[in-house]
């Protein structure tokens, strides 16, 4: 670790560490000075260093690339030390910013910036990001990584995101970044793109103009990025025109394909937003404001759809887990045990035959078989009927499958080659998201006449269950015995059926 008054040699010059400037995500930052020419630079050290770590090797490659980014609106890198020789700490030597960060600047503001002030900052950041993205993807854009020096805004810390501390990352995020600025697709993909940087910059622009984050302070940032839609910027800062607000909305669009393709497109749209519209300016702005609201409504609809799809998939994953873990896994273990102790000429097998959203397995042994199927309850399983309400009006009523007065989450069956079997039903639990299992053993009651007698017990088909599940326990042509599911009972059925 470096200390004040330590000396380092860099590019044939000797520098003295004269001041501790702060601690960033990757390590410590110091002011270094060359006593011969009074040149002042910043030294950023890597706090956690393993010389054979792949992250370290990848970092050094990025530092080499980052040295090629040269622009007035970036913190220029002068060179680096890889830490493989003394001193055994990797560090980066960079341009010194003397006026703090954009984060500091925004926190110091007590009044909103004018559109002209915002656009001045926006264009500087766009110019800097264009220079960065010509070489690499930043991956950790935020106000803390944009600095000011003599009134000029400069992008910093590009090429450093791979070793940002865990505390600045999302726990479920596969790539890199800081939660309030991470693009939605980054939670699903490790591929980093310029459009991810654009999304982050869009949120930075919103924060510059509104002095607050577009999504406020949510407890779940991933959910916010995937589903939240901001208040129109021009409604918060009335000095911001709908045209500028529309540019920022496009930058933070949920779908990458709905964002800009290049920084020059962003630049040109912002330049067009300042074109004088003369005496019709207020009318045009009113029309554009309505368009911004309409675009945000579309974004909200997309977000709600994505949120609903994500929730449905999450619930399906839980149901599949319960079926696999609590039924198929014990059966598979039983089959493995059986095959271990049986002779090699006879092997019991279980084959996955799932298709079209329905889980299905076939257990076979010595020419006999047992089929197992399992299906989630979805919209197609909800019956719709018209009934008269208390005023005599015809209204549409939806009847969801219920069992024991609780919603059915999924159902299925085990059935042998002779047609004998029983149903398994998973119903909602009062305790948690995991359902409770029951076995339904069905028999004919003698109250009805069927042309083809059914074995006892038998399993209802999926289409039969839609009607019969609500009649369990009623006086009916079928009698159903209900018990809590026991894996031993299932294994006993398998042993008798094969």
């Amino acid at each position: 670790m470096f200390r004040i008054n330590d000396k380092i040699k860099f590019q044939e010059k000797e520098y003295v560490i004269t001041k501790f400037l702060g601690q960033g995500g990757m390590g410590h930052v110091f002011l270094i000075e060359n006593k011969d020419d009074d040149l002042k630079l910043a030294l950023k050290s890597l706090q956690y260093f393993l010389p054979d770590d792949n992250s370290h090797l990848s970092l050094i490659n990025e530092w080499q690339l980052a040295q090629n980014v040269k622009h007035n609106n970036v913190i220029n890198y002068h060179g680096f030390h890889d830490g493989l020789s003394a001193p055994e700490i990797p560090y980066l030597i960079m341009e010194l910013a003397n006026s703090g960060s954009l984060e500091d600047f925004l926190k110091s503001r007590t009044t909103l910036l004018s559109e002209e002030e915002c656009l001045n900052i926006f264009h500087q950041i766009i110019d800097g990001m264009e220079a960065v993205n010509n070489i690499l993807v930043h991956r950790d854009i935020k106000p803390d990584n944009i600095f000011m020096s003599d009134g000029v805004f400069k992008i910093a810390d590009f090429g450093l995101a791979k070793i940002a501390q865990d505390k600045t990352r999302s726990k479920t995020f596969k790539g890199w970044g800081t939660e309030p600025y991470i693009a939605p697709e980054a939670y699903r993909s490790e591929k980093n793109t310029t459009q991810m940087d654009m999304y982050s910059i869009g949120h930075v622009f919103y924060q510059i103009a509104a002095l607050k984050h577009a999504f406020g302070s949510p407890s779940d940032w991933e959910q916010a990025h995937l589903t939240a839609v901001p208040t129109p910027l021009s409604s918060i800062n009335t000095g911001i025109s709908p045209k500028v607000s529309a540019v920022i909305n496009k930058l933070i669009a949920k779908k990458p394909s709905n964002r800009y393709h290049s920084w020059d497109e962003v630049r040109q749209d912002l330049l067009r937003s300042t074109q004088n519209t003369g005496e019709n300016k207020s009318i045009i702005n009113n029309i554009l404001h309505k368009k911004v609201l309409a675009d945000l409504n579309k974004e909200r609809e997309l977000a709600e759809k994505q949120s609903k799809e994500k929730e449905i998939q999450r619930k399906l994953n839980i149901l599949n887990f319960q079926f696999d873990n609590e039924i198929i896994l014990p059966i598979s273990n039983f089959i493995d045990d059986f095959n271990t102790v049986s002779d090699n000429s006879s092997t019991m097998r279980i084959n996955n035959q799932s298709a079209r959203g329905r889980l299905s397995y076939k257990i076979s042994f010595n020419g006999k078989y047992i089929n197992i199927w399992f299906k989630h309850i979805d919209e197609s399983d909800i019956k719709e009927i018209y009934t008269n309400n208390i005023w005599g009006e015809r209204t549409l009523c939806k009847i969801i499958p219920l069992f024991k007065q609780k919603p059915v989450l999924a159902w299925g069956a085990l059935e042998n080659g002779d047609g004998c079997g029983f149903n398994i039903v998973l119903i909602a639990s009062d305790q948690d998201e995991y359902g409770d299992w029951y076995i339904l053993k069905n028999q004919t009651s003698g109250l009805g006449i069927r042309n083809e007698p059914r074995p006892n017990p038998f399993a209802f088909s999926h289409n039969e269950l839609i009607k019969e599940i609500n009649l369990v326990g009623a006086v009916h042509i079928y009698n159903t015995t209900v018990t809590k599911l026991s894996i031993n009972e299932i294994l006993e059925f398998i042993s008798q059926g094969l």
Side-chain angles (χ1 to χ4, degrees), residues 131-231:
V132 171
N133 285 158
N134 283 339
I135 305 294
L136 44 77
V137 179
H138 191 297
R139 293 173 297 200
D140 195 20
I141 285 293
K142 55 187 175 182
D144 265 336
N145 283 343
I146 300 173
F147 286 85
M148 300 169 60
S149 186
D150 297 323
V152 178
F153 289 84
K154 295 175 177 282
I155 309 296
D157 283 3
F158 44 91
L160 306 182
K162 284 191 175 182
I163 52 173
Q165 284 182 327
D166 288 341
K167 67 182 180 181
T168 66
R169 300 183 192 169
S170 164
K171 292 180 181 178
T172 57
F173 183 43
K174 297 179 181 177
W176 299 271
T178 304
E179 285 191 304
Y181 308 94
I182 294 173
E185 69 273 17
Y187 289 93
R188 306 184 300 272
S189 171
E190 292 187 4
K191 182 180 179 182
N192 296 282
T193 66
T194 298
Q195 277 62 46
M196 288 184 182
D197 279 352
M198 285 184 173
Y199 181 87
S200 302
I201 286 295
H203 277 287
V204 171
F205 283 1
Y206 191 105
Q207 195 168 340
I208 290 170
L211 297 183
K212 62 180 180 180
H213 194 279
F215 300 148
S217 302
S219 58
D220 186 341
W221 278 106
E222 178 181 359
Q223 188 68 14
H225 288 301
L226 290 171
T227 64
V229 177
T231 302

Side-chain angles (χ1 to χ4, degrees), residues 44-190:
K44 179 166 279 193
S45 66
L46 175 56
Q47 188 172 3
Y48 305 106
F49 169 50
L50 295 173
D52 58 349
D53 182 51
N54 288 333
S55 295
H56 169 257
L57 298 176
S58 181
L59 174 75
I60 296 304
N61 289 335
E62 293 230 349
W63 282 5
Q64 290 174 331
L65 286 173
Q67 287 184 112
N68 297 320
V69 182
K70 301 296 181 184
H71 194 276
N72 187 47
N73 294 115
V74 303
I75 294 293
N76 290 287
Y77 295 170
H78 294 279
F80 64 88
H81 172 68
D82 61 17
L84 299 179
S85 59
E88 295 181 350
I89 302 174
Y91 60 80
L92 184 66
I93 303 295
M94 62 183 70
E95 174 186 355
L96 178 67
N98 57 22
S99 305
S101 69
L102 175 60
E103 179 78 10
D104 299 329
F105 172 76
L106 295 178
K107 285 182 177 178
S108 70
R109 294 287 306 184
T110 56
T111 58
L112 295 170
L113 294 167
S114 68
E115 182 170 279
E116 183 179 359
E117 290 172 309
C118 289
L119 288 172
N120 175 43
I121 301 173
F122 293 172
H123 280 292
Q124 291 189 59
I125 292 175
I126 288 170
D127 291 347
M129 284 305 303
E130 188 174 52
V132 171
N133 285 158
N134 283 339
I135 305 294
L136 44 77
V137 179
H138 191 297
R139 293 173 297 200
D140 195 20
I141 285 293
K142 55 187 175 182
D144 265 336
N145 283 343
I146 300 173
F147 286 85
M148 300 169 60
S149 186
D150 297 323
V152 178
F153 289 84
K154 295 175 177 282
I155 309 296
D157 283 3
F158 44 91
L160 306 182
K162 284 191 175 182
I163 52 173
Q165 284 182 327
D166 288 341
K167 67 182 180 181
T168 66
R169 300 183 192 169
S170 164
K171 292 180 181 178
T172 57
F173 183 43
K174 297 179 181 177
W176 299 271
T178 304
E179 285 191 304
Y181 308 94
I182 294 173
E185 69 273 17
Y187 289 93
R188 306 184 300 272
S189 171
E190 292 187 4

Side-chain angles (χ1 to χ4, degrees), residues 119 122-123 126 205 243-244 247-248 260 265-275:
L119 288 172
F122 293 172
H123 280 292
I126 288 170
F205 283 1
K243 288 186 282 187
V244 172
V247 172
I248 295 175
Y260 289 96
E265 288 184 5
V266 186
R267 180 185 294 112
Q268 295 305 319
D269 266 8
L270 286 177
L271 288 172
R272 280 190 286 271
S273 73
T274 61
Q275 292 176 354

Side-chain angles (χ1 to χ4, degrees), residues 411-429:
W411 51 35
L414 283 81
E415 194 170 23
N416 65 23
D418 298 327
C420 185
F422 53 80
N423 291 107
I424 53 174
V425 179
L426 187 64
I427 67 172
S429 170

Side-chain angles (χ1 to χ4, degrees), residues 320-339:
N320 288 344
F321 169 79
Q322 278 205 260
F323 179 64
D324 288 338
N325 189 65
E326 298 171 14
I327 294 180
I328 297 303
L329 181 59
I331 291 174
S332 298
N333 291 338
F334 166 77
I335 291 173
D336 289 341
D337 290 342
F338 175 85
N339 290 331

